[in-house]
Amino acid sequence: MLSPRTTEGARFVELAERHAADFAATAAEHDRDASFPFEHVEAMKQSGAIGATVPADLGGIGVASVHDLAVGLSRLGQGDGSITIGLCMHFMAGWMLARRWQVLRERGQPGGPDAALKEMAAGKLVMAILNSESGSDNRHPFAEAKPVEGGYLLNGKKSFATLSPAATTASIRVRLDDGNGGYQTASATVPIDAPGFESLHNWDALGMRASGSHDVVLRDVFVPKEALSTPVRWGRLEQPGLVGSVAAATCLAAPFLGIAEAAHQAAIDTVAVRGKQPGPTPLREWGPAQSAVAESEVELSAMRGALDRATAMIDALFAARFPADPPEAELHALMKECQAAKLIVNKGAVSVVDRALAISGGSGYLAKSPLSRLYRDVRAGGFMSPFGELEAREYIARVALGLPPEG
Amino acid sequence: MLSPRTTEGARFVELAERHAADFAATAAEHDRDASFPFEHVEAMKQSGAIGATVPADLGGIGVASVHDLAVGLSRLGQGDGSITIGLCMHFMAGWMLARRWQVLRERGQPGGPDAALKEMAAGKLVMAILNSESGSDNRHPFAEAKPVEGGYLLNGKKSFATLSPAATTASIRVRLDDGNGGYQTASATVPIDAPGFESLHNWDALGMRASGSHDVVLRDVFVPKEALSTPVRWGRLEQPGLVGSVAAATCLAAPFLGIAEAAHQAAIDTVAVRGKQPGPTPLREWGPAQSAVAESEVELSAMRGALDRATAMIDALFAARFPADPPEAELHALMKECQAAKLIVNKGAVSVVDRALAISGGSGYLAKSPLSRLYRDVRAGGFMSPFGELEAREYIARVALGLPPEG
Amino acid sequence: MLSPRTTEGARFVELAERHAADFAATAAEHDRDASFPFEHVEAMKQSGAIGATVPADLGGIGVASVHDLAVGLSRLGQGDGSITIGLCMHFMAGWMLARRWQVLRERGQPGGPDAALKEMAAGKLVMAILNSESGSDNRHPFAEAKPVEGGYLLNGKKSFATLSPAATTASIRVRLDDGNGGYQTASATVPIDAPGFESLHNWDALGMRASGSHDVVLRDVFVPKEALSTPVRWGRLEQPGLVGSVAAATCLAAPFLGIAEAAHQAAIDTVAVRGKQPGPTPLREWGPAQSAVAESEVELSAMRGALDRATAMIDALFAARFPADPPEAELHALMKECQAAKLIVNKGAVSVVDRALAISGGSGYLAKSPLSRLYRDVRAGGFMSPFGELEAREYIARVALGLPPEG
Amino acid sequence: MLSPRTTEGARFVELAERHAADFAATAAEHDRDASFPFEHVEAMKQSGAIGATVPADLGGIGVASVHDLAVGLSRLGQGDGSITIGLCMHFMAGWMLARRWQVLRERGQPGGPDAALKEMAAGKLVMAILNSESGSDNRHPFAEAKPVEGGYLLNGKKSFATLSPAATTASIRVRLDDGNGGYQTASATVPIDAPGFESLHNWDALGMRASGSHDVVLRDVFVPKEALSTPVRWGRLEQPGLVGSVAAATCLAAPFLGIAEAAHQAAIDTVAVRGKQPGPTPLREWGPAQSAVAESEVELSAMRGALDRATAMIDALFAARFPADPPEAELHALMKECQAAKLIVNKGAVSVVDRALAISGGSGYLAKSPLSRLYRDVRAGGFMSPFGELEAREYIARVALGLPPEG
C-alpha cells in the first residue's frame, strides 16, 4: 500500500484506516438500499478527519500534500468506495480553500478564507462540488448565472451531485454571458438549503450507490457577487482552476486503488485458506491461482507507482512555485502525468476486481458477496471528471505532441 | 454476426431473432425484480423453438449442428442473456437426447428416447441441469445416490439450478459409492416435482437475475434404476459425458457473445448519432471514439472466429466418427479448442461491454441504462462449467503438453 | 492448425508442408546472409506448387479458395516466413489472374489470361507486386505512367519489391494524369528485365531478410497500352482492385500465423522435454510454464478462428456473387472483417513469439536460436499492405460507423 | 523522465546524459559489428562517471541511492542499452562494495574495501559479474570452487559475461561442497587475466550486441580464501546476497526504461513533423497517431511510477535499518515490489518499442533504422537475473501468499 510522506498525512491516513473499518461494516447495507451513510460523515466530524486539509492553525489536521490526501483516500476507499468518492469532493474543495489561505498568508494579503476553514475543521462546513451536467462535459456547463442587483441568479440542472445529502454548501459550475456572444465559466458557492436549490433525490446507479449523487435543479438561486470565482473562458482548461483540476484528477482516482486493494485482499484471503476442492492440494500451491495472484500484484504495483509518482510531482511543482501558481504549460505537463496515472489506476482497478472474481469462483457472483459490490463500484472510476477515458487519451496525446490541450 | 450453416439452424436462428426482440423488451424488468420470464418459455413452446434440437421426425426443428445451436444462442443472448443461459441447459440436454436417438437409430438398436423427444417438441418437457455445488467442481459432486430397492435415493444440495422454475425435469449429477472406497459419478433424471426435491427460491446475484438459478435441496429423492446414466470415475472428465461437455462448453459461451454484441451495438448507435458536446463535431468523426469502436470490432471478430471454428470442429469430428463417439484423445484435443474459444468469448465479452460503457459516458452507469445490466450479466461467463477461467488454462496447457488432462 | 476445405486446397497444403520442411532447413542461413532462396522457388516449380492458383484445365492445382490459399501460406510460413511473404505476392497475382479467367469463361467472353496462367503452371511466370513507395501508401503511388505512342513510359521508385530476385514479371502500381488536374491509379505488368527497370539489390532489414524486398528504380520503362489495368481514382480503395485487396489482406497475414505456430511449437518442445533446472520437476508440470503455454494456445485459437472465418467469408461472398464482383459496400464490410483478422493474427503472432522467448529462457536470445529469427520476422506483419496497424483501425471504425471508408 | 532525489544522484544523471549522447552516436556501428565500445568506458573513466557509487571520501561521486543509480542507468540506456547493461554490472558491484564500506565504517570496524573503491574511482577497477550459466539459474551455479592450500580452484563455464572485455575483475558465482552431500553458493572475486580464465569471445545475439556478454571457461583458476564471499545455501535467495539482488533487480530494469524512452521519442518526433501522406493533414492531428502516442505515454507512466516507487522503497528500507541489513522477510516483501517493477518495465518497454514501430511505418523495419535495433535490444530485459519472467511471477505470488519464496 502507499505510504504518507508528511506527519500530517500520516495522521490522516491513520484516521482513514480507522474510519475505513467502519465503512466496511455498513457498505453492503448502504449499497443495497442506496442509502446515504450519514453516520460516517458524523464520525469523521467527531474524529476531526473531516478537517483533514484545514491548516493546523485553524483547527484542522493540516494535510497540504496532495500525495498524502490521495493515500488517505485510497485507504478510505478500501472500506467503502461510494462514501469515499463523496468525501473526495469535500476534501478537494477544502484543499483548494487551504491553498488559497496559504497563498494569501504568504503574500501578506488579507481576506483569506479563515472563517470557512475554521467551520470546516469544526464539521460545520461540508462541501459538495456540482460540476457535471447530462449532455456536456465539465468545461462546458449549460447552467447559467445571470447578473442581477448585488449578485447572480443561477438556473440549470446539475447531475452527479455526489455527497450532496450531507453537504452544507455546494460549489456549482456555471456559465456567464461574456458580453461578446460567448461564455465564461465560474464556480458559485451556494448553501445547500438556498431557495431554489432542489435535490431530486434520484440517485440510482450500477454502483457507488451510497454516494448520494442525485440530480439537482436550480431555479433562480440567488448568490451574492463575491460567491462567484474568477471566470475563465468557457470550454477551456486554464488558470485559475487548473491547479485544482490537477489535484482532483489524482484524488478522484485514489478511492479506486482502495477498491482494488480490498478486492485483491479478498482474493488473497481465499487463496491462502481454501483447499482446491475436493483434493488435498491447498489452493495457494496451485499454479493457476498463483499466476492470477501474481498478475494482480503486478497490476497493483503499476497503479500504486503511477499514483505515487504523479501526486509527488504535484506536491513538488506546487512547492517549487509557491506562492505563485505554476505556469499553464507546466500544469498541462503535470496534468498529462495525472491523467495517465488516473487511467492506469482505473483500468487496473477494473482488472484486479475482475481477477478477484475469477479467483473467488462462482460464490463471488452472488449479490451477498462483497466482490459483486466492488465489481459494480469500481467501474465508476472511468467516469470521473474532468476527462472520461476517451477524452483523457486525446488530452495526453495533445500535450505530448505540443498541441493546444483542448483539441 | 455468426451465420448458421444448416437449413435447420437457419430456421432456429430466425426464431431466435424473433424471440430475442421480445426478451429485450422485458429484460430490464426481470433483472430488477429477479423474476423468472415464464412468458418467454411459453412463447418458445408456441413457436416450436423449445424443440430446436428435437429431430424433425419427432416434431422438432432438428438442429443437430452444435455450431448452429451456438449461433442461435448468441442471438437469444442479444435479447436477454439471463433467460438464454437457462435455455442453454435445456437445449444441451435436448441435443444429447437427440444425439442418443440418432446413434441408436443408426445402429438399429431399440430403446431410444423417442417419447422424451416428442414431449420436448410439444413443450411438455423442459429440462434443467443441476451439476454445480457450492464448494466443489462439476467433476466432484458431493450429492449422493444410495442404492435402494428398484433404484436410488438422492441426497445433497445443488446450486445454480438455472431454468429450474420453468423446468419439468432435472438432470442431477451425483456420486455413488464404487464399492472400493472411492466414488463414481452419474446423472439422474428427476421430475422437478418429485417428493424431496425442494427449490429454495433464493437466487439473488450480481447479474443473470432472471435465470432462476436457485439452490436446490434433495432429501431422499427416489429415482428408478434406469433414470441413472452410465457412471464414470469420480473426478474424471471421460466418456460418456465428454461428448456432451464439449458441446456444452461452446454453447454456454454463445450467450455472452450475444451480450457483447448488444452492448457494442448500443455503443455504435451512440457514436453514430450523438454530437461530441458541446461542439459541432459529430462523435463518429472523433478519433478516440473511432479508436474505441475499432477495438471492439476487432475483439468481436476474434470472439466470433474462435466460436465459429470451435463449434464447426465439433460438428466435423462428430460427423466423421458417427455413430461412434470419438476417442477420448480426440475429444480432449477438441475440448482444448472449445475451452480456448470459451475464454476468448468470455474475456472479450467483458472487455467489449466495458468499452461500450466508456463510449457511452456516465449515463451508461445509471441503473436504468441497459449497459449497466449487460455489465453485470456478462461477468457470469467466466463461471460456466465445467471449468472456471483458472482451471480452463490448466486444462488447455495439460492437453497441449500431452499430460493427463485432469491435473 | 487450420485445415483446407477443398480438394485442391488439400493438395496445395500437402505440398506446402513438404516445402516448408525444406524452407526450415535453410532459413537460418538465408537470414544471416540476406540471400534469396532461389532453390526453393525452383523446387516449387518442380512440384507444381508454384501454379497453386492456376485452374486445373490450364495445368495448375486449381486452388480457387482464398481460405485454402491462406491455409497453405500459413504452413509455408512455419518453414520460413521470409520466402513465404514473397510467394504471397506471386500467389495473389496468380489468384487474380485465375479469377479473371473464370469470370470471362463464365460470361462466355474471349480474351482471358490463358497464356499467362499456363506459363505460371509451367513455372515460367513468377510474379512480383510492386505497390509500395517510401513516403506514401499503396493508394497514392507517385510513380508515374506517361502516355506515349502505343503505350506508356513508367518512371519512379518502388520499395519492398518482395520476391523480385526470382520474379519474371512485376505488377507495378502507378498513377496517371486524369486530365483534370488529378490522378488515377493503375497497375502495369512489366517484364522484370525490361529496359529501365533496375533493382538496387539493397534489401537489408530487421527480418524477412530472405524476401529480396529490394528498392526498384524505373527509368522510362515502356509498357504497351494493354499492360495497364483499368484505372481507379487515385487514393481510393475501390473496384476493380478491392476484390484483390480483400483476398490479399488475409493472405498476407497467413505467413505470420505460421511463424507464430513454429515459435509455439518450439516452446512446447522445450517445455515437454526440459527439466526445471536444477531440480527434478519436469518443466511441463511447472505452473508458470503451463500458464504461458495456455496463454499462447488461447491466442493461437483466436488467430486461427479469425483467419478461418474471414477467409471463409471471402469465399462465400465471391461464390454468392460470381461471376459478378460483389458491390463495394459488401466488399468494404468484408474488408473490415479481413482487416480485423489481420490485426488479430499480427498482434497475436508478435505476442506468441515473445512468449516463446520467455519460455525458452536466455538461450532463445542468441543469434543462433531460431526464435531470435522468428522474433525479427514476425514483426513485419504489421507493415503489410494496404493498411498499417494504425490505418487499419481507422478503416474498421469508419466502415462500422457507416462513414466513407477512406477517411 | 525520472528525476534524481539526491545531489550525488543529480551529478551522476547529468554525466549520464552527456555520455548517453556519445553512446547514441556509435550505437548503430557497435550493434552491427558486435564490437565492444571501449571508448565509452574510457570516457567514463575520464569523467569520473565510472566511480559513480564510490563514496566521495574515496574519490567517487558518492551515489548511495539505488533510486538515483537507476535513474542514471535509464538515461544511459537512452543512448545505448547494450553498453549500459554492461555498466549495470559494474555499478552494482560498486554499490555493494560502497555499502559494505559504509556499514563497516558505521560500526567502527576495520577492513573495509577502501583500496578497491579508490581504484574504482580512479578507473583502475572495472567489475563484471559472472552469475549465469547455460542450463541453470543464478541460484544454482554448477561452476565449482574446490578448496586447496590457501584458497580455491575454480572450474566451470559461465555465460553472459557482460562487460567482460573492459573489466579488470570478475565476481564469479560458484558452488562449494557443504560437507553434507549438498552445496553452498558464494561469489569469488577474480582478476580477469588470472591463469585459467578464458573468454571465448563468442557473444552473438539478437540484440545487446555491444555488451560483450561472452562465454567464459574457468580451468583451475586459483583464488585466495579471502576472495570468496560468505556462502549461503545452494538454491536459496537469502542473506547475504539478497540485499544486492534487490538493488540489482531494479537497476537491471532501468536501461530498458531508457530504451523505451528513446523509441517513444523517435515516435513523437515522427508524429510531430511528418505529414500523413499524401494529404495535407499533419500526422499529429490524426486520431490513430494520437491514440498510439497516448497509449505509450500511459505505459511509460506506469513503468516510471513502478520503478520510481520500488527504488525509493529500497532506499527507505535500507536507510531505516542501516547499518544492519533488513530482516529477510522485509527483503522478500521488498523484492516482490522490485520484481513487479521489473516486469512492468520490461513488458512495457517491449510494448512501447513495438508501438513506436507501428507509428514509424515500414521504414522503421529497415536495418538502418534505430528502431530496429531498439526492437532487438529491448527484448533482453526479460532475461535479466535473478528471475526470468515466468519465475518472477511465481516468486511474487509466493511472497504475497506467505509461502516460502523459493518454491
Side-chain angles (χ1 to χ4, degrees):
Chain A
M1 290 190 287
L2 294 178
S3 307
R5 299 187 174 193
T6 67
T7 321
E8 298 82 4
R11 170 77 187 124
F12 175 53
V13 169
E14 192 198 317
L15 281 176
E17 290 178 350
R18 217 181 310 154
H19 287 295
D22 295 338
F23 287 12
T26 62
E29 178 195 331
H30 288 303
D31 172 62
R32 191 187 56 230
D33 306 341
S35 54
F36 190 85
F38 291 103
E39 70 276 23
H40 296 308
V41 176
E42 246 356 273
M44 292 179 82
K45 290 177 185 173
Q46 298 303 323
S47 75
I50 204 79
T53 65
V54 178
D57 293 0
L58 303 176
I61 299 179
V63 181
S65 157
V66 174
H67 177 275
D68 289 0
L69 201 52
V71 176
L73 289 165
S74 74
R75 293 297 201 285
L76 290 171
Q78 291 179 358
D80 182 345
S82 105
I83 169 70
T84 306
I85 205 69
L87 293 165
C88 277
M89 307 299 162
H90 170 77
F91 286 129
M92 284 324 305
W95 181 87
M96 284 183 274
L97 280 179
R99 179 176 158 86
R100 183 138 62 89
W101 182 82
Q102 270 154 342
V103 165
L104 293 172
R105 192 177 62 165
E106 178 75 14
R107 292 181 183 155
Q109 293 174 338
D114 301 47
L117 285 163
K118 280 180 189 166
E119 277 186 40
M120 194 173 264
K124 290 177 186 154
L125 173 62
V126 175
M127 291 196 66
I129 300 180
L130 276 63
N131 284 349
S132 301
E133 294 181 20
S134 172
S136 190
D137 60 38
N138 285 6
R139 286 171 287 147
H140 298 90
F142 290 122
E144 309 226 34
K146 283 213 176 141
V148 292
E149 179 69 33
Y152 299 89
L153 287 184
L154 311 185
N155 280 283
K157 185 168 175 187
K158 308 299 285 190
S159 52
F160 300 112
T162 304
L163 190 71
S164 56
T168 60
T169 303
S171 164
I172 305 179
R173 189 158 296 176
V174 291
R175 74 180 182 188
L176 301 98
D177 206 310
D178 70 358
N180 293 310
Y183 296 105
Q184 289 181 307
T185 307
S187 286
T189 305
V190 182
I192 211 98
D193 54 2
F197 184 109
E198 185 195 357
S199 167
L200 299 189
H201 292 290
N202 60 348
W203 178 240
D204 183 18
L206 173 61
M208 292 288 161
R209 296 177 57 77
S211 66
S213 306
H214 306 303
D215 289 328
V216 163
V217 177
L218 307 169
R219 291 192 196 85
D220 287 340
V221 176
F222 176 79
V223 294
K225 219 166 193 153
E226 61 276 16
L228 220 73
S229 69
T230 313
V232 302
R233 286 176 292 171
W234 196 59
R236 295 307 174 96
L237 196 64
E238 63 186 16
Q239 277 289 56
L242 193 45
V243 159
S245 290
V246 165
T250 49
C251 285
L252 285 167
F256 298 93
L257 171 59
I259 290 173
E261 288 174 330
H264 183 57
Q265 190 56 52
I268 289 270
D269 291 347
T270 301
V271 174
V273 308
R274 198 191 283 174
K276 166 118 182 57
Q277 278 150 331
T281 316
L283 200 51
R284 63 183 178 275
E285 293 285 2
W286 186 50
Q290 290 189 353
S291 173
V293 165
E295 211 63 57
S296 286
E297 286 281 332
V298 172
E299 241 168 356
L300 284 165
S301 286
M303 293 156 67
R304 288 169 182 149
L307 191 60
D308 189 52
R309 180 166 170 262
T311 50
M313 286 171 80
I314 294 174
D315 288 346
L317 181 63
F318 287 4
R321 294 291 185 173
F322 186 81
D325 284 340
E328 283 195 8
E330 291 181 15
L331 284 170
H332 281 299
L334 181 61
M335 185 62 148
K336 170 170 79 73
E337 287 304 318
C338 295
Q339 288 300 322
K342 189 165 158 249
L343 280 172
I344 292 163
V345 169
N346 284 332
K347 302 302 272 183
V350 166
S351 171
V352 167
V353 174
D354 181 273
R355 198 176 293 107
L357 276 164
I359 294 171
S360 80
S363 66
Y365 194 70
L366 299 180
K368 68 184 176 197
S369 157
L371 285 176
S372 78
R373 174 173 43 83
L374 298 177
Y375 178 74
R376 290 181 286 104
D377 283 354
V378 77
R379 192 56 188 79
F383 300 116
M384 294 296 125
S385 303
F387 295 119
E389 293 172 43
L390 273 47
E391 290 165 320
R393 286 169 195 279
E394 184 180 40
Y395 175 83
I396 289 168
R398 297 190 69 85
V399 174
L401 290 166
L403 299 170
E406 282 97 351
Chain B
M1 290 190 289
L2 294 178
S3 307
R5 299 185 174 195
T6 66
T7 320
E8 297 80 5
R11 170 77 187 125
F12 175 51
V13 169
E14 191 196 319
L15 281 176
E17 291 178 350
R18 219 185 306 156
H19 286 294
D22 295 338
F23 287 11
T26 62
E29 179 194 331
H30 288 303
D31 173 61
R32 192 186 56 231
D33 306 341
S35 54
F36 190 86
F38 291 103
E39 71 274 25
H40 297 308
V41 177
E42 244 356 272
M44 292 178 81
K45 291 177 186 173
Q46 298 303 322
S47 76
I50 205 77
T53 63
V54 178
D57 293 359
L58 303 176
I61 300 180
V63 181
S65 158
V66 173
H67 177 276
D68 288 1
L69 202 52
V71 175
L73 289 165
S74 75
R75 293 296 201 286
L76 290 172
Q78 292 179 359
D80 183 345
S82 104
I83 169 70
T84 306
I85 204 70
L87 293 164
C88 278
M89 307 299 161
H90 169 77
F91 287 129
M92 286 322 307
W95 181 86
M96 284 183 275
L97 281 180
R99 180 176 158 84
R100 185 140 61 93
W101 182 83
Q102 270 154 342
V103 166
L104 293 173
R105 192 178 60 164
E106 178 76 12
R107 293 182 183 157
Q109 293 174 336
D114 302 47
L117 285 163
K118 281 180 188 165
E119 275 185 40
M120 194 172 263
K124 289 177 186 155
L125 172 63
V126 175
M127 291 196 68
I129 300 180
L130 275 62
N131 285 349
S132 302
E133 293 182 20
S134 173
S136 190
D137 61 38
N138 285 7
R139 286 171 285 147
H140 298 90
F142 290 121
E144 308 226 36
K146 286 213 176 142
V148 292
E149 176 71 33
Y152 300 88
L153 287 184
L154 311 184
N155 280 282
K157 185 168 173 185
K158 308 300 284 188
S159 52
F160 301 112
T162 303
L163 190 72
S164 58
T168 60
T169 303
S171 163
I172 305 179
R173 189 159 297 178
V174 292
R175 74 179 182 190
L176 300 98
D177 207 310
D178 70 357
N180 293 311
Y183 296 106
Q184 291 181 305
T185 306
S187 286
T189 304
V190 182
I192 211 97
D193 54 3
F197 183 108
E198 184 194 358
S199 167
L200 300 189
H201 292 292
N202 60 348
W203 177 241
D204 183 18
L206 173 62
M208 291 288 162
R209 297 176 57 77
S211 66
S213 306
H214 306 303
D215 290 329
V216 163
V217 178
L218 307 168
R219 290 192 195 83
D220 286 341
V221 177
F222 175 79
V223 293
K225 221 168 190 150
E226 62 275 17
L228 220 72
S229 68
T230 313
V232 302
R233 286 176 293 171
W234 196 59
R236 294 308 173 96
L237 196 65
E238 63 186 16
Q239 277 288 55
L242 194 46
V243 157
S245 291
V246 164
T250 49
C251 285
L252 286 167
F256 297 93
L257 170 60
I259 291 175
E261 289 173 329
H264 183 57
Q265 190 57 52
I268 290 269
D269 291 347
T270 300
V271 174
V273 307
R274 199 193 282 176
K276 165 119 182 57
Q277 279 151 331
T281 318
L283 200 52
R284 65 184 177 273
E285 291 286 1
W286 186 51
Q290 290 188 352
S291 173
V293 165
E295 211 63 57
S296 287
E297 287 280 333
V298 173
E299 241 168 355
L300 284 165
S301 286
M303 294 156 66
R304 288 169 182 150
L307 190 61
D308 189 52
R309 180 165 169 263
T311 50
M313 286 171 78
I314 295 174
D315 288 345
L317 181 63
F318 288 2
R321 295 289 185 174
F322 187 80
D325 285 338
E328 282 196 8
E330 291 182 14
L331 285 169
H332 282 298
L334 181 60
M335 185 63 148
K336 171 169 79 73
E337 288 303 318
C338 295
Q339 289 299 323
K342 188 164 157 250
L343 279 173
I344 291 163
V345 169
N346 284 332
K347 301 303 270 183
V350 166
S351 171
V352 166
V353 174
D354 181 273
R355 197 175 295 108
L357 275 164
I359 293 171
S360 80
S363 65
Y365 194 70
L366 299 179
K368 69 184 175 196
S369 156
L371 285 176
S372 77
R373 173 173 44 83
L374 297 178
Y375 178 75
R376 291 180 286 103
D377 283 353
V378 77
R379 191 56 188 80
F383 300 115
M384 293 298 126
S385 302
F387 295 120
E389 294 173 41
L390 273 46
E391 290 164 320
R393 287 170 194 280
E394 185 180 40
Y395 175 83
I396 289 167
R398 297 190 69 86
V399 175
L401 291 166
L403 298 169
E406 282 96 351
Chain C
M1 290 190 288
L2 294 178
S3 307
R5 301 186 173 194
T6 66
T7 320
E8 296 82 5
R11 170 78 187 124
F12 175 51
V13 169
E14 191 197 318
L15 281 176
E17 291 178 350
R18 216 182 310 155
H19 287 295
D22 295 338
F23 288 11
T26 63
E29 178 194 332
H30 288 304
D31 173 62
R32 191 186 57 231
D33 306 340
S35 54
F36 191 86
F38 291 102
E39 70 275 25
H40 297 308
V41 176
E42 244 358 90
M44 293 179 81
K45 290 176 185 173
Q46 297 303 321
S47 75
I50 204 77
T53 64
V54 178
D57 293 359
L58 303 176
I61 300 179
V63 181
S65 157
V66 174
H67 178 275
D68 289 0
L69 201 51
V71 175
L73 290 165
S74 75
R75 292 297 200 286
L76 290 172
Q78 292 180 357
D80 183 343
S82 104
I83 169 71
T84 306
I85 205 70
L87 293 165
C88 278
M89 306 301 160
H90 170 77
F91 287 129
M92 285 323 306
W95 181 87
M96 284 183 274
L97 280 180
R99 179 176 158 86
R100 186 141 60 90
W101 182 83
Q102 271 154 340
V103 166
L104 293 173
R105 192 177 59 166
E106 178 76 15
R107 291 180 184 157
Q109 294 173 338
D114 301 46
L117 285 162
K118 281 179 188 169
E119 277 185 40
M120 194 172 263
K124 290 179 185 154
L125 173 62
V126 176
M127 291 195 68
I129 300 180
L130 276 63
N131 285 349
S132 301
E133 293 182 20
S134 172
S136 190
D137 60 37
N138 285 5
R139 285 171 287 148
H140 299 89
F142 290 121
E144 309 226 35
K146 285 212 177 142
V148 292
E149 179 68 34
Y152 299 89
L153 287 185
L154 312 185
N155 279 282
K157 185 168 173 186
K158 308 299 284 189
S159 52
F160 301 111
T162 303
L163 189 70
S164 57
T168 60
T169 303
S171 164
I172 305 179
R173 189 160 296 178
V174 291
R175 74 179 182 190
L176 299 99
D177 207 310
D178 69 358
N180 293 310
Y183 296 105
Q184 290 182 306
T185 306
S187 287
T189 305
V190 182
I192 211 97
D193 54 2
F197 184 107
E198 185 195 357
S199 166
L200 300 189
H201 292 290
N202 60 348
W203 177 241
D204 184 17
L206 173 61
M208 292 289 163
R209 296 176 59 76
S211 66
S213 306
H214 306 302
D215 289 329
V216 164
V217 177
L218 308 168
R219 291 190 195 87
D220 286 342
V221 176
F222 176 80
V223 293
K225 222 169 190 149
E226 61 276 16
L228 220 73
S229 69
T230 314
V232 303
R233 286 176 293 172
W234 196 60
R236 295 309 175 95
L237 197 64
E238 62 187 17
Q239 277 290 53
L242 194 45
V243 158
S245 291
V246 164
T250 49
C251 284
L252 285 168
F256 298 93
L257 170 59
I259 291 175
E261 288 173 330
H264 183 57
Q265 190 57 52
I268 289 269
D269 291 346
T270 300
V271 174
V273 306
R274 200 192 282 175
K276 166 119 182 57
Q277 280 150 332
T281 318
L283 200 52
R284 64 183 178 274
E285 291 285 1
W286 185 50
Q290 290 189 352
S291 173
V293 165
E295 211 63 56
S296 287
E297 287 281 332
V298 172
E299 239 168 356
L300 285 165
S301 286
M303 294 156 66
R304 288 170 182 148
L307 191 61
D308 188 54
R309 180 165 170 263
T311 50
M313 287 171 79
I314 294 174
D315 288 345
L317 181 62
F318 289 2
R321 295 291 185 172
F322 187 81
D325 285 338
E328 283 195 8
E330 291 182 15
L331 284 170
H332 282 299
L334 181 61
M335 184 63 148
K336 170 169 80 73
E337 287 304 318
C338 295
Q339 289 299 323
K342 189 164 156 251
L343 280 172
I344 291 163
V345 169
N346 283 331
K347 302 302 271 184
V350 166
S351 171
V352 166
V353 174
D354 181 273
R355 197 176 294 106
L357 275 165
I359 292 171
S360 80
S363 66
Y365 194 70
L366 299 179
K368 69 185 174 196
S369 156
L371 286 177
S372 78
R373 173 173 45 83
L374 298 177
Y375 178 75
R376 291 180 286 104
D377 283 353
V378 77
R379 190 56 187 79
F383 300 116
M384 294 298 124
S385 303
F387 294 120
E389 294 172 42
L390 273 46
E391 290 164 320
R393 287 168 194 280
E394 185 179 40
Y395 174 84
I396 290 168
R398 297 191 69 87
V399 174
L401 291 165
L403 299 169
E406 282 96 349
Chain D
M1 290 189 289
L2 293 178
S3 307
R5 299 185 174 195
T6 67
T7 320
E8 297 80 5
R11 170 77 187 126
F12 175 52
V13 169
E14 192 197 318
L15 281 176
E17 290 178 348
R18 217 182 309 155
H19 287 294
D22 295 338
F23 287 12
T26 62
E29 181 195 330
H30 287 303
D31 172 62
R32 191 186 56 229
D33 306 341
S35 54
F36 190 86
F38 291 102
E39 70 276 23
H40 297 308
V41 176
E42 244 358 90
M44 292 179 81
K45 291 177 185 173
Q46 297 303 322
S47 75
I50 205 80
T53 65
V54 178
D57 293 359
L58 302 176
I61 299 179
V63 180
S65 157
V66 174
H67 177 274
D68 289 1
L69 202 52
V71 175
L73 289 166
S74 75
R75 292 297 201 287
L76 290 171
Q78 291 179 358
D80 183 344
S82 104
I83 170 70
T84 305
I85 204 70
L87 293 164
C88 278
M89 307 299 162
H90 170 76
F91 287 130
M92 285 323 305
W95 181 87
M96 283 183 275
L97 281 180
R99 180 176 157 85
R100 184 139 60 90
W101 182 83
Q102 270 155 342
V103 165
L104 293 174
R105 192 177 62 165
E106 179 76 13
R107 292 182 182 156
Q109 293 174 335
D114 300 48
L117 285 162
K118 280 180 189 167
E119 276 185 40
M120 195 173 263
K124 289 177 188 156
L125 173 61
V126 176
M127 292 196 67
I129 300 180
L130 276 62
N131 285 350
S132 302
E133 292 182 20
S134 173
S136 190
D137 61 37
N138 286 5
R139 287 171 285 148
H140 298 89
F142 291 120
E144 309 226 36
K146 285 212 175 142
V148 292
E149 177 69 32
Y152 299 88
L153 287 184
L154 313 184
N155 280 283
K157 186 170 173 186
K158 308 299 284 189
S159 51
F160 301 111
T162 303
L163 190 70
S164 57
T168 60
T169 304
S171 164
I172 305 179
R173 188 158 297 176
V174 291
R175 73 178 182 191
L176 301 97
D177 207 310
D178 70 358
N180 294 310
Y183 295 105
Q184 290 181 306
T185 307
S187 287
T189 305
V190 183
I192 211 99
D193 54 3
F197 183 108
E198 185 195 357
S199 166
L200 300 189
H201 293 291
N202 60 348
W203 176 240
D204 182 18
L206 173 62
M208 292 288 163
R209 296 176 57 77
S211 66
S213 306
H214 307 302
D215 289 329
V216 164
V217 177
L218 308 169
R219 291 192 194 83
D220 286 340
V221 177
F222 175 78
V223 294
K225 219 165 194 157
E226 61 276 16
L228 219 73
S229 68
T230 313
V232 302
R233 286 176 292 172
W234 196 60
R236 295 307 173 98
L237 197 64
E238 63 187 15
Q239 276 289 55
L242 194 45
V243 158
S245 290
V246 165
T250 49
C251 285
L252 285 169
F256 298 93
L257 171 59
I259 291 173
E261 289 174 329
H264 184 56
Q265 190 57 51
I268 289 268
D269 291 347
T270 300
V271 174
V273 307
R274 199 192 282 175
K276 166 122 180 57
Q277 281 150 330
T281 318
L283 200 51
R284 64 183 177 273
E285 292 285 3
W286 187 50
Q290 290 189 353
S291 173
V293 165
E295 211 62 57
S296 286
E297 287 280 332
V298 172
E299 240 169 355
L300 284 165
S301 286
M303 293 156 66
R304 289 170 182 148
L307 190 61
D308 188 53
R309 180 166 170 263
T311 50
M313 286 172 79
I314 295 174
D315 288 345
L317 181 63
F318 288 2
R321 295 290 184 174
F322 187 80
D325 285 339
E328 283 196 7
E330 292 181 14
L331 284 170
H332 282 299
L334 182 61
M335 185 62 149
K336 171 170 78 75
E337 288 302 319
C338 295
Q339 289 299 324
K342 188 163 158 251
L343 280 172
I344 292 163
V345 169
N346 284 332
K347 301 304 270 184
V350 166
S351 171
V352 166
V353 174
D354 181 273
R355 198 176 293 108
L357 275 166
I359 294 171
S360 81
S363 66
Y365 194 70
L366 299 179
K368 68 184 177 198
S369 156
L371 286 177
S372 77
R373 174 173 43 84
L374 298 177
Y375 178 74
R376 290 180 286 104
D377 283 353
V378 77
R379 191 56 189 78
F383 299 115
M384 294 297 125
S385 305
F387 295 120
E389 294 172 43
L390 272 46
E391 291 165 321
R393 286 168 195 279
E394 184 179 41
Y395 175 84
I396 289 168
R398 297 190 69 87
V399 174
L401 290 166
L403 298 169
E406 282 96 353

